[in-house]
Every structure is written in structure tokens, then in C-alpha cells.
Amino acid sequence: MRIVVDAMGGDNAPQSNVDGALIAAREWSDTEIILVGDEARIGALLKDKPSNLKVVHASEVIEAEDEPVKAVRRKKDASMVVAGRMIREGEADAMISAGNTGALMTTGLLVVGRMKGIERPALAPMIPTLDGKGMLALDLGANMDSKPEHLQQYALMGSLYREKVHGIAKPRVGLLNVGTEPGKGNELTKHAYPLLEELPIHFVGNVESRDVMNGVCDVLVCDGFSGNILLKSIEGTAGALFSLLKEQFGKSLKTKMAAALMMPELRSLKSTLDYKEHGGAPLLGLGGLVVKSHGSSDANAIKNGVRQARTALQNRLVESISNEISGK
Amino acid sequence: MRIVVDAMGGDNAPQSNVDGALIAAREWSDTEIILVGDEARIGALLKDKPSNLKVVHASEVIEAEDEPVKAVRRKKDASMVVAGRMIREGEADAMISAGNTGALMTTGLLVVGRMKGIERPALAPMIPTLDGKGMLALDLGANMDSKPEHLQQYALMGSLYREKVHGIAKPRVGLLNVGTEPGKGNELTKHAYPLLEELPIHFVGNVESRDVMNGVCDVLVCDGFSGNILLKSIEGTAGALFSLLKEQFGKSLKTKMAAALMMPELRSLKSTLDYKEHGGAPLLGLGGLVVKSHGSSDANAIKNGVRQARTALQNRLVESISNEISGK
């Protein structure tokens, strides 16, 4: 297995990316880790290089504020683009990047390329749930306008991902909707519902956004627009509540004492809700495996991205999706 | 002013509805309150009837579990339908119901009737915000599929409502979207954006769902599907967080002490986030004023619904919307 790590993407690059790649290379000697980026800068951070760690030079970097499509088209020697090209040309099996999300989706589409039979690849991050297990949601922002057939493919890909990478035997797949009854929804979800019923998956029907945090399914199918509204409103509400709590706790000596007593519990609560804890988000439906790590990834998050990619490769995720899509 | 109260709709009907109507009639002697419903049951609850309180008999009731369109078509003598007919026929100026939301929207559309020039009436409840002021969001569930022109009308109606009923001089109107930049979104929001710019309102641009609770605007424009996802995910996340907190608080003697110290602050926190505190949701774009009170309304909530309707009538809300829509 050859896994490429974009050394230059993310808030803590290249330091965390190099550190994470090093830890991964040491932990999994059967895996070749390829760091792509500025050779000189990477070299300066690599003191003791294990034999299964390689560096490939790339002279450019796609920045967080770059316009995705333009950046991918113009910066042909950007670390992210070079990594994508290695996947397409069979020089590597998977790639991980903590860089610009839009640019990574563009790299997936234009450089790595779509899987045959897939119209729209999907970004599939984990949404936090109360039980700490999380829910894989797709699409979360790769495509703003979806057709019922796209949602059908998302359902299939998401189910296979949960099975192959997370080891869930019969993942429960739900459709994000405004009510639980089958006839509910807008034109998109009304037409997608019967298409999801046709699939060889464990479709549990419509799921309302208020039930998401209770972990009522393992895979949540949605269009990119609604998915974005859902994810950011969970994030915003949790953030707002924590800041309200903080304010309330600071109000008096009594509440300050209560806050001190509660601090460890509140920290654990906050981490349950932190979607960064759930590892990277796969881009599903491409010709190869691409994992988006959070922009603020530390070395451990990068290493977890490698672990995710390894599991997916070991369980032949991309081949399984391709077989299902082509009806083999 | 003649305001009809549906005596039979809601979890606490007819008791709370009759009590609320009584309090309102006593408080506002210039307003005629008309209770519509089962005369015998209402009469039993009315001991001391003020002269500005009237009862109109209706023999049927639309239940919470009734299918909306069927119920409105078949139960022609349901309290909700009779109230709607009184608005249409000019026998009353506004109506308040805590009954079946779908049936009330259907009553609005089929019995009260749309305002000339309005394609789709919108349901506009308040979303809780951290500052306690709330945000009027529309549409929240009356229409699942919207066109850009519908969003434009929502923006205009929402802005007028905040100005006329809540006394906000230049309400900030935002468009629910996946990013704050003007070019962001799906086909719907991309096309709606320039239409909102054309309006004589204070349009503040795109608003992300993560910023809603921070009260970044006074009116949030969205299609019914995304709006439902947003509202229910705020509700679900807040509910989940409170149950997590409760669980953490119960863990040990230490955390139980902290909980006891914090209880008044937590209660106030919870009520800040309770959208029921914000009164009823108007159905905008109809030929008359219809206010949906929460299903669990108590007497005070019903009375607040009457207050809302009074303010809207005093400030000629429906006429203002009609004038703007017809370009007068």
C-alpha cells in the first residue's frame, strides 16, 4: 500500500503533516508513506527517516484562500495536485490532505477523476452523535444541487464505506427529510425515497434533523446544500450553548464554583461533539481514495487519516463501490 | 378589531384557549374576541363573560393526527375552518389557532385565500437567538419547493412583519446559504440573491446556519425544506446538549452539587432557547391575518397571540404587504 500525504495543506503544515506521516510510517511498516511538498522544508523536519517513508518534491502550494478551480488548473505543481496525479497514474493508492476543501474536491474531480458510472462524487464527513459513534453524512458540500439518482449513489457509497472502513455489518441508511413518513419532503427527497428502497442496503427511511444527534442511523443521505445547513447549525448551536454556559458560569462566585466542579465533565462533553475527533472525510465516487483531513489537523489527526486510508485499502473499498455501481 | 380564537385547537384546548381569550378580552376592551368551537364546552368554562367576548358555535374539530387537506375539505364545520371563513367573509380581522399546523396552512390557502400577487404564503416562526431577541424565519414548512421569486416575496413580507409588529426600524434581512460570499449556494439561492438586492429592504446578504443563533439578522429567508432542517437541528442539538449536561451532572456527588448551584442559570438558559417563548408564527401572504400558536400553548401563549394580532392589525400589516406586492 502506498499512501500519499499532502505535506503542505492545513493550518499546521508542514510540521504536523510530516510528524503524522512519520508516526504512521513507524507504526505500519507494510505501508509506504509518500510525503509530497517542498523537499527542503520537509527534509528539515525529517531527522530520522524510516525506509518506508519517501519524499516527492512539489514546488507550489494551494492556499486556504485560493479559488479552488483556478488554483487546481494553474498550480500544476502544487503538492495537492501532484498527489492527485500520483493516484490517477497508479503511483499511489490513496491520498490525504488537510488543505483547501474546495481545491481538494476539484483535484478529486479534475485530477484523480470520477469513478465510471458515478455522476457526482460526494464529501462524506462524520457528524457527531450523543453516543460518540458519529454518523457518516453525504453529500456535505461537494455538490449544491442534487438529483434523486445522485442521492441513490450516495446511499450506496456511504453504506459500503461504513461497512468496509468502520466494520458495521448492516449500516442503517437514512434520508434527511422534514418528516419521518414516506410521502414527506421536497421533490428531491420524494423521488429519492423509492430509489433508496431499491438498493441492496439497510434503508431505514426518512430522518429528521432533530434526531441526527441521537444517532438514529449510520449513514445520512442528503444534498450538499441541506447537509451544509445541518452540519453548520449543529456546530453553531453547540458553540452558542457552550458560550452561553460559560457566561452563566462566570456570573457569580456560586456559579464559578459550580463551573470548577464541572470542568472535566464539560470538557468531555465538548469533545463528544467535536467532529474533528472523528478523523478525515472521504471523497467517495472517485477513481482512487481521497481523504480530507480537518484544516486544523495535528500530527495525530494526520496519522488517523493514514489509518483510515489503510483500512479502506485493505478492505478494497474503491473496488467494492465500483463493482456495485457497475452492477457486477 | 375582531380577533377569532380557535377554541378547539392545541394540546390544552379548550381550557387554555378559553382562559387566554378571557384574559385578552379583559385586557383590551377595544377588541372583540370571538371564540369558535363547541358552544357547550366553551360555555362551561366561561363563568364571567365580558361584553367584548363572543362565542360562535362549530360542531367539528380538526385533530392533530388528521391529514391536513382532507380534514379541511371534509370537516366544513371544524372550529379552524369556521374561523378561516369568518376572515374571508370579513366577519373578523385576524385568527389565532394552536391546532394542526398543516391544517392551518391549508385553511389559510383554501379558506382564507392567498393575497393577490402572492404565489406562496409562508409560515414565519421565530428562531431563538443568544441575545434573546430571536430571528423571524420564513418559509418554515408551508412550501417544500421554492422558486427564487418566492424567496423574494418572503423577504419583503418578513421585513414588513418585523417593522410593523416588532417595531424594528430597518430589519436586517439575510438569505440562508452555505457561505457568506454573494456567489455561493445552490441554483435557488444564487438566483434569489440578486432579487433580494432589488427590494426596498435592508438586505445584509448570505447567512450561514452556524451564525443564526448569534442573531446576525432580523429576518432569515429560506425555502421550506432547508428552513425545517435548520430549525429542527437547532432544536435537536439544544435538546441533546441539555440531556448530555443532565447526565454529566448526575454522575457524582460533586457534579450533583454543581448542578444544584447552577440550576437557576440553566433554567434561564433553557428558556432563552425555547422558541415557544417567542409567541405565535404568522402565516404571511394571505388575504387576512392568521397566527399559528404553538400546539402546547397555555392561556398566556394564547393571550400573546392575541397581542401579536392586535399589533399587526393596528399597524395595518396585511394592507402594507398588499401595497408593496402590488407596487402601490
Side-chain angles (χ1 to χ4, degrees), chain B residues 93-288:
Chain B
D93 307 300
M95 72 175 277
I96 292 142
S97 176
N100 184 320
T101 308
L104 187 60
M105 293 190 297
T106 308
T107 299
L109 212 54
L110 303 184
V111 183
V112 178
R114 280 179 291 145
M115 178 184 288
K116 210 185 145 192
I118 291 284
E119 268 192 66
R120 303 281 184 97
L123 183 66
M126 294 290 281
I127 290 186
T129 56
L130 283 189
D131 58 12
K133 290 181 186 165
M135 185 183 285
L136 188 86
L138 73 170
D139 170 45
L140 254 116
N143 313 293
M144 283 302 127
D145 291 280
S146 303
K147 292 183 190 154
E149 293 72 24
H150 303 154
L151 299 194
Q152 189 184 31
Q153 292 191 333
Y154 299 165
L156 191 63
M157 295 193 295
S159 179
L160 281 167
Y161 187 85
R162 291 293 263 172
E163 187 191 326
K164 302 284 176 188
V165 179
H166 295 157
I168 300 174
K170 270 179 67 182
R172 296 160 301 160
V173 180
L175 176 63
L176 181 64
N177 213 332
V178 298
T180 51
E181 306 86 340
K184 286 273 175 178
N186 56 10
E187 289 303 312
L188 175 64
T189 56
K190 277 185 200 166
H191 286 104
Y193 194 98
L195 298 182
L196 265 61
E197 283 185 309
E198 282 171 14
L199 292 173
I201 58 168
H202 180 30
F203 177 47
V204 295
N206 291 323
V207 167
E208 288 190 275
S209 60
R210 70 154 69 92
D211 299 323
V212 166
M213 294 213 45
N214 294 321
V216 292
C217 57
D218 304 302
V219 177
L220 184 68
V221 175
C222 53
D223 67 282
F225 189 88
S226 319
N228 182 293
I229 301 295
L230 171 71
L231 184 67
K232 287 185 182 158
S233 81
I234 290 178
E235 198 189 314
T237 307
L241 273 174
F242 277 111
S243 70
L244 260 181
L245 262 182
K246 215 174 153 185
E247 192 189 293
Q248 301 278 14
F249 274 135
K251 270 192 169 167
S252 68
L253 186 62
K254 187 191 80 175
T255 55
K256 275 179 194 155
M257 279 170 55
L261 288 169
M262 277 297 292
M263 218 24 96
E265 281 76 13
L266 283 176
R267 287 227 179 84
S268 99
L269 186 55
K270 212 167 174 177
S271 88
T272 302
L273 296 171
D274 190 350
Y275 60 95
K276 276 175 269 176
E277 306 266 322
H278 283 289
L283 251 166
L284 298 174
L286 298 172

Side-chain angles (χ1 to χ4, degrees), chain A residues 176-237:
Chain A
L176 181 66
N177 213 331
V178 298
T180 53
E181 306 88 340
K184 287 275 176 176
N186 55 8
E187 289 303 313
L188 174 65
T189 56
K190 278 185 198 164
H191 285 104
Y193 193 97
L195 298 181
L196 265 61
E197 282 186 308
E198 282 173 12
L199 291 174
I201 58 168
H202 181 30
F203 177 47
V204 296
N206 291 325
V207 167
E208 288 190 276
S209 60
R210 70 154 71 91
D211 298 323
V212 165
M213 293 212 48
N214 294 320
V216 292
C217 57
D218 304 302
V219 177
L220 184 69
V221 175
C222 54
D223 67 282
F225 189 87
S226 319
N228 181 293
I229 301 297
L230 171 70
L231 183 67
K232 287 185 183 159
S233 82
I234 291 178
E235 197 190 314
T237 308

Side-chain angles (χ1 to χ4, degrees), chain A residues 128-155:
Chain A
T129 57
L130 282 189
D131 58 12
K133 290 180 185 163
M135 184 182 285
L136 188 87
L138 73 173
D139 171 43
L140 254 117
N143 313 292
M144 283 302 127
D145 291 280
S146 303
K147 292 183 188 153
E149 294 72 26
H150 303 154
L151 298 195
Q152 190 184 30
Q153 294 191 331
Y154 299 165

